[in-house]
C-alpha cells in the first residue's frame, strides 16, 4: 500500500516535471536562449578576454572564478567533514591493521607497472587544462585514483605516512588557499578580486598554478575519503 | 563605486580562508584554534559593519567579481537582505565564544581544529548565500553552508546524532538537487544566471510551464532548508542532537537561509511576471498556519529541553512563512524582523540549554527541577529567552508577531490573528512548564544539587542574548524602519494580484 502510494506520487511528480521540461527549447538548436545570450558573448570575445585558449577554462577560472572557488571549498569542506566524523583515529583498538592487503600478484604488478604512466597522464591533464579539454578537477581525480590503487598495493600505511599530519593539512588546503591568493593578486594587479592580471605570461602562470592546486586538492580529497573509509572498515 | 565595495567578497573569503587554514595551523591545539576562529569571526563582523554603514549612507553595493560586468561575470550585492550578514556574523561570534568550553569537553583534541574550520566555512557560505546575485553562485554557497552543517551535526557522538545527520544529509541533498534543477531550467530559458537579468528575460521565453516548474522546485527546495511544515521532519532530531553551539548555529542562523532563498525567489518571479504568485502566497500562509500550531503542540509534548526548542523553531519558521505569504508591507516587514529576532532568541536559548547540558549532563525538563538555585544566572537567561519566545510585549518575539497580525488585518484575513494568539498561548504553556520546573520545584537529581554556575565564557553570551531577547522589542521601531524598504521591494513588485 505504502509502495503503491509512493509510486503514484513519483509518477505524478515525474509527469509534472516532464511537462515543464517539454517547454524548453530543444537541446542543440542554434537559436536556443542558452546559445544566444551570455554564451555567445564568451565565444565572441572569450578567448582573448578570458586569457585561456580553452573556453571552458576561461569560464571556470576567470568569468566564473568565484563559483569554482566555491566548488573547491565544497570539496575541502566535504573532506574536513569526513575526517571530523569518521571513526578513524578515534577508536584505536588493540587489533592492528594488516600492513598489506592481499592483492593478486597480477594486479600488483600491473598497478606498479602502470603507475608512472597514470601519473604522467594526470599531470598532463592538469598542466594542459587551460589549453585542451581537461584541467585540475579531471587530472586530480586521475591522480587520486592512482594514489588509491597504490595504497592497495603498498598498504594504506605507506600512503598515510608519506606526509606528516600538519604538512598533510597544508597540502589538502592548497586549492582554496591558492585561489584566495589569486583573488588578492587580482585585486592588487588588476583592480578586482578574482581578476586575472594583464601580462600574458603572468596570466598563464596563474592559470597553471590554479589548475595544479585544484588537481592536488582534488586528488588528496579522494585519497582522504578512501583512507578514512578504509580505516573505519578495519576498526 | 567606492573602494569599500572590495570588502564585500571579503565577507566570504575571510572566514573561509581562516577556516581552511585552521587545521593546518592548529592541529591538536584547540585553544589557539579557538582564538583564531574568534578573531576571524570578529574581523568578518567588522567588515560587515563597514559595509552596512556604507549601505545606510547610500544605495546598495554591488561587486562584479574579476571586473566582469553582470551577466557575464558573477555579481555579489549588499542590499537590504544581504545586511542579514550583520546578524549572522554577530551571532557567530557569540556562538564561538560559548563553544570553547563545550568543544574542550566533548570534541577529541585531534578534531577541535576541524570543528572550528567547519564553523568558519559555514559562516562564509552563509555570507555568500545572502549576498549572491547569481543563481548558480547561490547554489554553490548553499552547498558550502549545507555540507558544513551536516558534518557539524554528526560531530555529536551517538546513534541519535548520526541518524539525524544522515537524515539531514539526505533531505538536504534532495532539496539542493531541486534548486539545481530550477537553476538549469531558468538558464535553459534565458541563457543567463544573473538573477535580475533572468527576471527580465524570463517573460520573453514564453514557457510558463517550465517557469512554473522552476518556481516550484525553488520553493520546495528552500522550504526544506527553512524547515517549513510539513518539510520540517529532519529538523527536530538534527537540531536537538547536535552539539549545543551547533544547535544554536543551525536553529538561529542556518535555517533562516531557506527564508532568504524564498525571498530571492519571490523577488525574481515577481519581477518576471510570468507565473502568478498568488498560489505561492496562499501556500505559504497555509503552511505557516499549520506550522505554528503543529510546532507549538509538538513542542508541548516533548520532555527534552532541546527538542522543545527545536520544535519551537518549526513554529517560528511558520510565523515567518505566514508573514511572507500574507504579502502586505507590514506582514512582510514583520516576517523579516522576526527572522532577526528569532535568530537572536533561539541562539541564546540553545546556548543556554548547552550550558545546562554541559554543567549537569541532564537534558530532560523533569530532571532539571530546582536548577534555579544552583545556576541562577543560566536559568534566569533561559527564562528570559522563553518569555521572549512566547512573544510577550515588549520582548523581541512580540514585534514580528504583532506586525504579522497587523498585516493579516490589512490583507483581510483576520482569522490569522487567532492562530498567532493560539501559537503564543501554546508556547506559553510549555515555557511555564520549564520555568516551573527550574524555579518552583525541589531538586530531584543529585547532579542538580552539585551543579555549579556555568563558566564565564558561556554565561556572557547566554546572558547577553537573553537581555537582548527581552529588551530588543523596545527597539522594534528601528528594526522595522530598517527592513521596511526591503519589505516594500518584496511586495511592491507585484501590485497586480
Amino acid at each position: 500500500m505504502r509502495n503503491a502510494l509512493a509510486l503514484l506520487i513519483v509518477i505524478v511528480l515525474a509527469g509534472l516535471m516532464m511537462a515543464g521540461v517539454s517547454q524548453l527549447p530543444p537541446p542543440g538548436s542554434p537559436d536556443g536562449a542558452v546559445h544566444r545570450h551570455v554564451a555567445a558573448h564568451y565565444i565572441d570575445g572569450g578567448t582573448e578576454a578570458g586569457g585561456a585558449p580553452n573556453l571552458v577554462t576561461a569560464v571556470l577560472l576567470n568569468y566564473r572564478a568565484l563559483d569554482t572557488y566555491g566548488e573547491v571549498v565544497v570539496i575541502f569542506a566535504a573532506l574536513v567533514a569526513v575526517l571530523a566524523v569518521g571513526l578513524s583515529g578515534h577508536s584505536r583498538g588493540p587489533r592492528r591493521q594488516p600492513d598489506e592487503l592481499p592483492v593478486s600478484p597480477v594486479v600488483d604488478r600491473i598497478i606498479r607497472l602502470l603507475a608512472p604512466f597514470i601519473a604522467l597522464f594526470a599531470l598532463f591533464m592538469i598542466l594542459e587544462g587551460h589549453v585542451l579539454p581537461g584541467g585540475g578537477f579531471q587530472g586530480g581525480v586521475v591522480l587520486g585514483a592512482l594514489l588509491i590503487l597504490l595504497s592497495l598495493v603498498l598498504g594504506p600505511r605507506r600512503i598515510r605516512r608519506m606526509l606528516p599530519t600538519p604538512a598533510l593539512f597544508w597540502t589538502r588546503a592548497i586549492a582554496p588557499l591558492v585561489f584566495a591568493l589569486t583573488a588578492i593578486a587580482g585585486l592588487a594587479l588588476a583592480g578586482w578580486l578574482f581578476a586575472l592580471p594583464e601580462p600574458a605570461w603572468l596570466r598563464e602562470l596563474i592559470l597553471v598554478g590554479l589548475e595544479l592546486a585544484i588537481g592536488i586538492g582534488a586528488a588528496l580529497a579522494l585519497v582522504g575519503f578512501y583512507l578514512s573509509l578504509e580505516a573505519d572498515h578495519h576498526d | 563605486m567606492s573602494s569599500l565595495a572590495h570588502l564585500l567578497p571579503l565577507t566570504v573569503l575571510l572566514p573561509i580562508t581562516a577556516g581552511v587554514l585552521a587545521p593546518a595551523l592548529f592541529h591538536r591545539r584547540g585553544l589557539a584554534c579557538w582564538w583564531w576562529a574568534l578573531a576571524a569571526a570578529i574581523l568578518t563582523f567588522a567588515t560587515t559593519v563597514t559595509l552596512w554603514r556604507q549601505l545606510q549612507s547610500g544605495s546598495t553595493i554591488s561587486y562584479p567579481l574579476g571586473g566582469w560586468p553582470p551577466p557575464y561575470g558573477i555579481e555579489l550585492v549588499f542590499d537590504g537582505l544581504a545586511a542579514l550578514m550583520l546578524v549572522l556574523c554577530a551571532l557567530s561570534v557569540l556562538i564561538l565564544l560559548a563553544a570553547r568550553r563545550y568543544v574542550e569537553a566533548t570534541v577529541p583534541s585531534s578534531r577541535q581544529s576541524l570543528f572550528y574550520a567547519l564553523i568558519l566555512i559555514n559562516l562564509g557560505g552563509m555570507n555568500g548565500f545572502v549576498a549572491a546575485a547569481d543563481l548558480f553562485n547561490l547554489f554553490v554557497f548553499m552547498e558550502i553552508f549545507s555540507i558544513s552543517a551536516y558534518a557539524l551535526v554528526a560531530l555529536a557522538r551517538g546513534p541519535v546524532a548520526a541518524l539525524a545527520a544522515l537524515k539531514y544529509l539526505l533531505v538536504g541533498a534532495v532539496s539542493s538537487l531541486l534548486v539545481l534543477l530550477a537553476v538549469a531550467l531558468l538558464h535553459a530559458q534565458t541563457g543567463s544566471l544573473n538573477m535580475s537579468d533572468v527576471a527580465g528575460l524570463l517573460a520573453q521565453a514564453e514557457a510558463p510551464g517550465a517557469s512554473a516548474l522552476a518556481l516550484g522546485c525553488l520553493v520546495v527546495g528552500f522550504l526544506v532548508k527553512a524547515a517549513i511544515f510539513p518539510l520540517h521532519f529532519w529538523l527536530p532530531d538534527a537540531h536537538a542532537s547536535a552539539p549545543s553551539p551547533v544547535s544554536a548555529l543551525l536553529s538561529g542562523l542556518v535555517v533562516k537561509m531557506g527564508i532568504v532563498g524564498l525571498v530571492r525567489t519571490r523577488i525574481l518571479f515577481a519581477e518576471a511576471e510570468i507565473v502568478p504568485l498568488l498560489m505561492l502566497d496562499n501556500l505559504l500562509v497555509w503552511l505557516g498556519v499549520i506550522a505554528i500550531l503543529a510546532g507549538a503542540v509538538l513542542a508541548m509534548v516533548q520532555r527534552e529541553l532541546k527538542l522543545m526548542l527545536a520544535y519551537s523553531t518549526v513554529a517560528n519558521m511558520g510565523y515567518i512563512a505566514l508573514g511572507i505569504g500574507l504579502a502586505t508591507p507590514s506582514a512582510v516587514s514583520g516576517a523579516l524582523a522576526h527572522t532577526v529576532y528569532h535568530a537572536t532568541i533561539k541562539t541564546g536559548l540553545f546556548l543556554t540549554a548547552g550550558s545546562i547540558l554541559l554543567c549537569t549532563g541532564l537534558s530532560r525538563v523533569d530532571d532539571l527541577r530546582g536548577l534555579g538555585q544552583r545556576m541562577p544566572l543560566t536559568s534566569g537567561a533561559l527564562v528570559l529567552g522563553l518569555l521572549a519566545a512566547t512573544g510577550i510585549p515588549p520582548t523581541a518575539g512580540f514585534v514580528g508577531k504583532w506586525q504579522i497580525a497587523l498585516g493579516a488585518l490589512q490583507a483581510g484575513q483576520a482569522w490569522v490573528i487567532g492562530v498567532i494568539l493560539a501559537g503564543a498561548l501554546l508556547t506559553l504553556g510549555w515555557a511555564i512548564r520549564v520555568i516551573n520546573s527550574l524555579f518552583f520545584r525541589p531538586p530531584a537529581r543529585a547532579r542538580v544539587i552539585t551543579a555549579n554556575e556555568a563558566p564565564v565564557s558561556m554565561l556572557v553570551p547566554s546572558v547577553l542574548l537573553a537581555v537582548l531577547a527581552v529588551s530588543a522589542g523596545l527597539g522594534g521601531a528601528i528594526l522595522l524602519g530598517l527592513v521596511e524598504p526591503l519589505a516594500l521591494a518584496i511586495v511592491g513588485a507585484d501590485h497586480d494580484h
Side-chain angles (χ1 to χ4, degrees):
Chain A
M1 183 59 210
R2 259 184 88 176
N3 284 346
L5 194 68
L7 186 67
L8 189 73
I9 292 174
V10 167
I11 289 173
V12 170
L13 284 180
L16 283 175
M17 286 185 165
M18 292 292 191
V21 172
S22 68
Q23 287 195 347
L24 293 179
S29 81
D31 47 330
V34 195
H35 305 295
R36 274 186 280 129
H37 184 36
V38 175
H41 177 86
Y42 289 154
I43 291 169
D44 282 346
T47 318
E48 293 79 36
N54 185 316
L55 260 181
V56 176
T57 309
V59 173
L60 278 183
L61 293 183
N62 197 348
Y63 289 108
R64 302 193 64 88
L66 185 66
D67 277 346
T68 313
Y69 173 68
E71 280 149 22
V72 159
V73 175
V74 166
I75 293 174
F76 179 81
L79 178 61
V80 171
V82 169
L83 295 175
V85 172
L87 297 168
S88 55
H90 193 66
S91 54
R92 282 236 172 77
R95 242 180 65 198
R96 300 190 54 151
Q97 288 172 27
D99 202 33
E100 291 209 19
L101 298 170
V103 175
S104 120
V106 179
V107 174
D108 184 302
R109 279 299 132 148
I110 290 186
I111 290 175
R112 283 168 195 259
L113 196 68
L114 285 180
F117 299 101
I118 298 176
L120 192 68
F121 181 60
L123 201 66
F124 169 72
M125 270 170 79
I126 294 172
L127 290 181
E128 288 293 289
H130 61 296
V131 188
L132 301 169
F137 288 111
Q138 292 87 336
V141 169
V142 174
L143 191 61
L146 173 66
L147 287 172
I148 291 174
L149 284 178
L150 284 178
S151 87
L152 276 176
V153 175
L154 304 173
R157 286 162 153 230
R158 288 272 286 280
I159 297 290
R160 275 211 192 93
R161 276 194 307 237
M162 276 189 343
L163 282 173
T165 312
L168 186 59
F169 272 113
W170 279 107
T171 327
R172 280 167 176 160
I174 189 167
L177 287 182
V178 170
F179 242 115
L181 285 178
T182 315
I184 292 165
L187 179 63
L189 300 174
W192 296 97
L193 280 159
F194 285 101
L196 290 183
E198 202 31 74
W201 62 268
L202 184 60
R203 183 172 279 203
E204 182 130 354
L205 195 71
I206 287 178
L207 284 175
V208 170
L210 274 175
E211 297 277 17
L212 252 180
I214 292 173
I216 293 171
L220 282 184
L222 266 186
V223 178
F225 295 147
Y226 171 75
L227 287 182
S228 60
L229 283 177
E230 197 267 349
D232 287 355
H233 184 68
H234 284 280
D235 274 343
Chain B
M1 194 202 79
S2 93
S3 61
L4 276 177
H6 291 298
L7 292 177
L8 182 50
L10 280 188
T11 58
V12 178
L13 276 174
L14 204 117
I16 287 183
T17 305
V20 166
L21 282 172
L25 288 172
F26 302 103
H27 185 62
R28 289 187 185 276
R29 291 194 290 145
L31 187 63
C33 193
W34 176 75
W35 279 109
W36 169 262
L38 195 65
I42 290 173
L43 209 58
T44 314
F45 176 61
T47 314
T48 56
V49 170
T50 316
L51 283 168
W52 189 70
R53 290 177 54 162
Q54 183 73 8
L55 178 71
Q56 290 310 108
S57 68
S59 55
T60 55
I61 301 159
S62 151
Y63 192 85
L65 284 137
W68 299 109
Y72 305 112
I74 294 174
E75 182 191 13
L76 288 177
V77 286
F78 195 83
D79 54 5
L81 197 55
L84 189 63
M85 261 190 221
L86 212 60
V87 180
L88 299 177
C89 295
L91 290 177
S92 293
V93 169
L94 291 176
I95 289 169
L96 274 170
L97 201 60
R100 190 187 107 207
R101 289 304 190 93
Y102 202 95
V103 169
E104 278 171 359
T106 57
V107 181
S109 72
S110 61
R111 291 174 190 204
Q112 290 176 359
S113 64
L114 301 179
F115 177 90
Y116 295 119
L118 287 170
I119 297 255
L120 287 173
I121 290 173
N122 188 273
L123 176 64
M126 288 195 291
N127 280 347
F129 184 81
V130 297
D134 183 283
L135 282 166
F136 190 73
N137 203 229
L138 189 81
F139 170 76
V140 169
F141 283 122
M142 187 172 84
E143 284 303 276
I144 293 180
F145 77 69
S146 298
I147 285 178
S148 44
Y150 310 142
L152 283 167
V153 172
L155 266 172
R157 305 255 145 216
V160 183
L163 204 60
L166 189 63
K167 204 157 69 169
Y168 186 21
L169 169 72
L170 292 176
V171 178
V174 171
S175 79
S176 295
L177 272 179
L178 284 173
V179 173
L180 184 61
L181 176 65
V183 172
L185 283 167
L186 292 174
H187 181 254
Q189 291 176 67
T190 61
S192 176
L193 287 167
N194 186 278
M195 285 186 215
S196 54
D197 194 40
V198 167
L201 290 169
L202 202 55
Q204 292 169 27
E206 286 173 353
S211 301
L213 179 62
L215 175 64
C217 289
L218 283 173
V219 167
V220 175
F222 290 133
L223 284 180
V224 171
K225 298 277 183 211
I228 304 290
F229 189 92
L231 301 171
H232 70 288
F233 51 89
W234 56 269
L235 180 142
D237 283 342
H239 287 200
S241 63
S244 297
V246 175
S247 307
L249 184 73
L250 293 180
S251 232
L253 307 179
V254 174
V255 79
K256 305 295 185 297
M257 293 302 111
I259 298 296
V260 173
L262 270 181
V263 169
R264 291 263 185 237
T265 306
R266 204 184 179 289
I267 293 175
L268 193 159
F269 278 88
E271 240 178 270
E273 287 185 343
I274 184 162
V275 187
L277 291 176
L278 191 62
M279 247 170 75
L280 169 65
D281 289 341
N282 283 336
L283 178 80
L284 286 179
V285 169
W286 279 104
L287 292 184
V289 163
I290 301 171
I292 292 169
L293 298 174
V297 169
L298 287 169
M300 212 163 180
V301 299
Q302 301 305 319
R303 288 153 175 263
E304 305 241 341
L305 180 59
K306 281 179 74 178
L307 268 175
M308 287 178 167
L309 297 179
Y311 276 107
S312 145
T313 297
V314 173
N316 278 287
M317 296 313 285
Y319 281 107
I320 296 170
L322 171 65
I324 293 173
L326 287 169
T328 62
S330 355
V332 174
S333 47
L336 295 171
H338 199 59
T339 306
V340 174
Y341 280 144
H342 179 253
T344 315
I345 297 171
K346 197 48 65 71
T347 303
L349 279 173
F350 266 118
L351 289 183
T352 315
S355 308
I356 293 176
L357 194 61
L358 189 71
C359 295
T360 65
L362 301 169
S363 58
R364 288 175 58 165
V365 173
D366 289 340
D367 291 342
L368 296 176
R369 286 178 197 166
L371 194 67
Q373 294 160 24
R374 297 295 307 169
M375 299 175 69
L377 288 172
T378 306
S379 307
L382 192 68
V383 169
L384 292 183
L386 287 172
L387 289 179
T390 59
I392 296 170
T395 60
F398 170 72
V399 181
K401 293 175 187 175
W402 177 255
Q403 282 293 316
I404 294 169
L406 282 182
L409 275 183
Q410 284 169 5
Q413 309 215 43
W415 61 277
V416 168
I417 297 174
V419 176
I420 294 176
L421 264 177
L425 285 176
L426 287 168
T427 309
L428 194 61
W430 63 264
I432 284 180
R433 219 177 91 210
V434 177
I435 296 168
N436 182 37
S437 186
L438 284 174
F439 281 98
F440 302 105
R441 303 290 290 277
R445 290 302 196 114
R447 272 188 275 180
V448 169
I449 301 169
T450 56
N452 286 318
E453 189 54 90
V456 180
S457 67
M458 300 182 90
L459 262 182
V460 169
S462 294
V463 171
L464 186 68
L465 285 170
V467 170
L468 258 179
V470 284
S471 60
L474 297 172
I478 303 171
L479 182 64
L480 286 173
L482 289 175
V483 298
E484 203 187 357
L486 178 61
L488 286 175
I490 294 170
V491 293
D494 58 325
H495 279 304
D496 33 279
H497 83 248

